[in-house]
Amino acid sequence: METIYQKFKGHKVKYVFNDKALSYEYSDSEDSIAFEAQYDEIDVENVIRSTSKNAIWKFIASPFIFLALFAVGKASLNVDSIEKLLAGLVVTLIWVLLAVGCWIKYKRSEVTFTMFDSVRGRLIVVHDGQEDKIINLLKKSVSNYQSMLSHLTSNAVH
């Protein structure tokens, strides 16, 4: 029996690899689920990969871009002194920096998942650096369990 925990950007996952089944617990800010799936109920052949981003940061960046464009337009129309032009460009720079900060936050909010379907529910593996270990262990456990079942059925036939 091996237990692996994942905690990455608000996603918490616990895997308990038993001899015949996987105990699985997943939670994030909106949802939580826990179930136990027999290894022969898990589909490791049809893997689903998904990427999730917090899109609110992209939408927050949009008004700052429009404000920067407005500030450039206003600064170019009021060019009666160099001080007003520089002040307008400083305001533009501030809006652009805020937009870039929101865009960077949006890009850094990206979380990649690998998902496996099972009869009991979908198993989600968060890409946090441990995903290869978990995926390999899951595939190995499923393969070993299927080999054991086929060995038992072939012995029962003979």
Side-chain angles (χ1 to χ4, degrees), residues 5-136:
Y5 295 93
Q6 288 187 300
K7 186 176 181 181
F8 188 69
K9 294 185 181 181
H11 302 272
K12 297 176 187 173
V13 190
K14 177 183 175 186
Y15 310 89
V16 181
F17 292 90
N18 297 312
D19 291 336
K20 297 180 180 180
L22 172 72
S23 294
Y24 173 80
E25 295 176 24
Y26 173 86
S27 66
D28 62 13
S29 61
E30 299 174 5
D31 202 10
S32 67
I33 188 168
F35 59 86
E36 187 171 290
Q38 299 289 330
Y39 289 124
D40 62 340
E41 299 173 339
I42 300 172
D43 181 9
V44 294
E45 299 301 320
N46 299 310
V47 178
I48 303 164
R49 289 183 55 96
S50 177
T51 300
S52 171
K53 293 181 185 173
N54 191 349
I56 191 72
W57 290 107
K58 185 166 65 170
F59 294 117
I60 290 173
S62 300
F64 295 132
I65 293 168
F66 291 119
L67 287 169
L69 292 172
F70 177 74
V72 165
K74 187 174 181 189
S76 66
L77 291 175
N78 296 333
V79 190
D80 56 352
S81 71
I82 193 75
E83 291 85 18
K84 285 186 178 180
L85 178 64
L86 290 176
L89 292 177
V90 167
V91 170
T92 301
L93 179 65
I94 291 169
W95 292 130
V96 167
L97 289 175
L98 286 170
V100 167
C102 290
W103 189 258
I104 289 170
K105 184 77 173 165
Y106 165 71
K107 287 302 215 176
R108 296 183 105 205
S109 70
E110 180 176 287
V111 180
T112 304
F113 305 99
T114 299
M115 296 178 271
F116 299 92
D117 285 328
S118 77
V119 173
R120 312 263 182 216
R122 184 164 280 170
L123 302 166
I124 298 173
V125 180
V126 180
H127 286 225
D128 67 344
Q130 298 185 82
E131 68 274 2
D132 289 336
K133 176 183 177 183
I134 295 166
I135 292 169
N136 290 337

